Amino acid sequence: MERIRTTHTGSLPRPAPIVAAIAERERGGSPLDPDAVRDAVAGCVRRQVETGLDVVNDGELAKISYVTYVRGRLTGFEPVETPWPRPSPALDGFPEYAERLAGRGGFRDVRIPVCRGDVTYPDTGAVEADITTLQAAATDAGAQEAFLTAASPGVIAMFMRDEHYGDRTAYLTALAEAMKTEYDAVHRAGLVLQVDCPDLAASRAEFPDDAEGLRAFRGLVEENVAALNRALRDVPPDRVRLHMCWGNYEGPHHRDVALRDVLDIVLTARAGTISFEGANPRHGHEWTVFDEVALPDDRVIMPGVIDTTTNFVEHPELVAQRIGNYARLVGPDRILPATDCGLATVAVGEGGVDPRIAWAKLRSLVEGAELASR
């Protein structure tokens, strides 16, 4: 290999007019102007290429979030006016901070749909529009490779509760069969598919904080991976990236599940590249797991080396050190350094990384990879 390539995990800062248009659409107003979306995506892809990223995407610019966007593509879901459920039990010991975090917006400004009918994927028009827009932008910008993100069955079930099937397995199966339509469309177009799977780590705090709770959580992870594999059955694993995370928010995260406690299950997924957080203070030490766990020969890891919850711009030398830790254990040809998670997870609400700083962090990622390559 000539050098270590770089990418990111999905969402990027949206232009203000796009944010306003998404908010209007979510209130029941007009759909987004396709020309405005195409122009915004073209600019986003061009900036990614100019920043030096090797594998780029559309920044998820037209999506309200990485999961609730599916309401516009799947049948069976209805918007509800109830607010987002209470904060994670991981914040139970920090009520003042939980209240402050909720006040910053984000998912609190999104009305989470509920499943109240049969889940199907009747029309590929929206995903085909995403594909066409990204392909045109990538070609014009001279991008090496492009990916599109899609929600996993498990994360949809995690956020969008079932009031129709009455059985979690049946609900997951229906979601898997429906989302297969989207996954297959992305693959047929020649793009890399990234499946977003926060459900494989983020909900550990919903279970008791003991050995029995861990066993129960691992059971949920196994069920979610089985549903995902069902949906991915016709997509070659080497064209799939799986992104797992522990919740893309600044908080204590002291009840997060350890990577080593779920990695064996995650590695059974039909995904050739595994993305996970490796930069934030709670998980920055876990690169050592790959000194204990033998990475299968057909897998690549996509470690986060840029924290997506703070406005610090990481020094390129720190980024290079982080990359080097993984490269020494699995080989520089089997890593694709990235961000921990998205840099603009939800289109509306306050909080997260400042847009200008987000791009500075991505440039630091590229510079760090250049140092690590040398």
Side-chain angles (χ1 to χ4, degrees):
M1 60 179 299
E2 296 181 358
R3 61 183 177 82
I4 296 170
R5 301 197 309 155
T6 57
T7 188
H8 64 98
T9 60
S11 62
L12 294 172
R14 298 166 178 84
I18 293 292
V19 173
I22 290 175
E24 175 63 21
R25 182 187 64 190
E26 292 301 303
R27 290 192 293 266
S30 302
L32 271 63
D33 178 0
D35 290 336
V37 172
R38 281 191 289 269
D39 289 347
V41 171
C44 179
V45 171
R46 183 169 58 251
R47 190 164 186 180
Q48 290 174 68
V49 172
E50 292 171 349
T51 300
L53 293 168
D54 298 290
V55 189
V56 304
N57 80 331
D58 61 355
E60 301 178 12
L61 298 191
K63 294 177 177 176
I64 178 66
S65 79
Y66 67 93
V67 55
T68 57
Y69 80 92
V70 300
R71 179 171 69 87
R73 305 184 183 191
L74 299 176
T75 64
F77 290 95
E78 297 179 6
V80 294
E81 289 304 314
T82 54
W84 176 237
R86 70 179 182 86
S88 166
L91 296 172
D92 283 353
F94 310 96
E96 295 85 3
Y97 184 74
E99 184 64 26
R100 179 153 59 97
L101 188 64
R104 290 173 59 187
F107 269 115
R108 289 276 178 165
D109 295 306
V110 180
R111 295 308 177 191
I112 309 297
V114 172
C115 178
R116 290 176 175 164
D118 289 346
V119 177
T120 65
Y121 201 114
D123 183 2
T124 60
V127 67
E128 296 291 350
D130 287 348
I131 289 167
T132 302
T133 299
L134 176 57
Q135 287 177 324
T139 298
D140 290 346
Q144 296 182 16
E145 192 170 34
F147 71 97
L148 265 182
T149 58
S152 70
V155 79
I156 298 172
M158 174 180 163
F159 278 97
M160 298 161 63
R161 71 179 184 271
D162 169 43
E163 294 183 356
H164 174 68
Y165 290 93
D167 177 83
R168 188 174 190 277
T169 300
Y171 184 36
L172 271 179
T173 299
L175 289 170
E177 287 303 316
M179 291 305 295
K180 181 181 187 300
T181 301
E182 182 158 307
Y183 304 163
D184 290 348
V186 173
H187 170 59
R188 282 196 305 270
L191 298 171
V192 174
L193 169 68
Q194 177 178 302
V195 187
D196 289 328
C197 305
D199 51 291
L200 304 185
S203 58
R204 170 66 182 93
E206 302 289 338
F207 294 79
D209 193 17
D210 57 18
E212 183 57 36
L214 177 59
R215 280 192 292 272
F217 176 68
R218 281 175 55 86
L220 178 142
V221 173
E222 288 174 344
E223 185 177 25
N224 288 2
V225 169
L228 178 62
N229 284 344
R230 179 187 182 102
L232 291 172
R233 62 185 180 270
D234 293 325
V235 183
D238 65 352
R239 300 299 294 169
V240 180
R241 304 181 351 177
L242 181 157
H243 171 61
M244 58 180 292
C245 82
W246 287 264
N248 192 28
Y249 66 93
E250 183 185 12
H253 284 279
H254 62 303
R255 292 186 59 187
D256 284 2
V257 68
L259 179 60
R260 64 167 51 86
D261 287 339
V262 292
L263 183 59
D264 60 325
I265 304 173
V266 172
L267 288 173
T268 67
R270 289 179 52 84
T273 299
I274 306 298
S275 161
F276 53 88
E277 297 180 55
N280 69 60
R282 191 67 194 183
H283 296 281
H285 66 290
E286 292 189 302
W287 59 272
T288 59
V289 169
F290 294 96
D291 196 22
E292 309 165 12
V293 176
L295 187 67
D297 293 339
D298 60 347
R299 301 302 172 89
V300 171
I301 58 172
M302 189 175 132
V305 294
I306 296 291
D307 189 342
T308 53
T309 66
T310 76
N311 285 289
F312 276 100
V313 176
E314 290 82 352
H315 196 288
E317 290 188 9
L318 174 60
V319 174
Q321 290 171 8
R322 289 172 171 168
I323 293 172
N325 288 336
Y326 291 102
R328 282 187 288 273
L329 292 178
V330 305
D333 57 332
R334 301 181 68 194
I335 60 173
L336 182 63
T339 54
D340 268 0
C341 199
L343 285 160
T345 304
V346 182
V348 297
E350 181 185 353
V353 178
D354 176 85
R356 291 182 185 272
I357 295 175
W359 287 103
K361 288 167 82 75
L362 289 173
R363 181 57 198 164
S364 190
L365 164 61
V366 171
E367 292 175 354
E370 292 170 350
L371 284 174
S373 296
R374 289 200 294 270

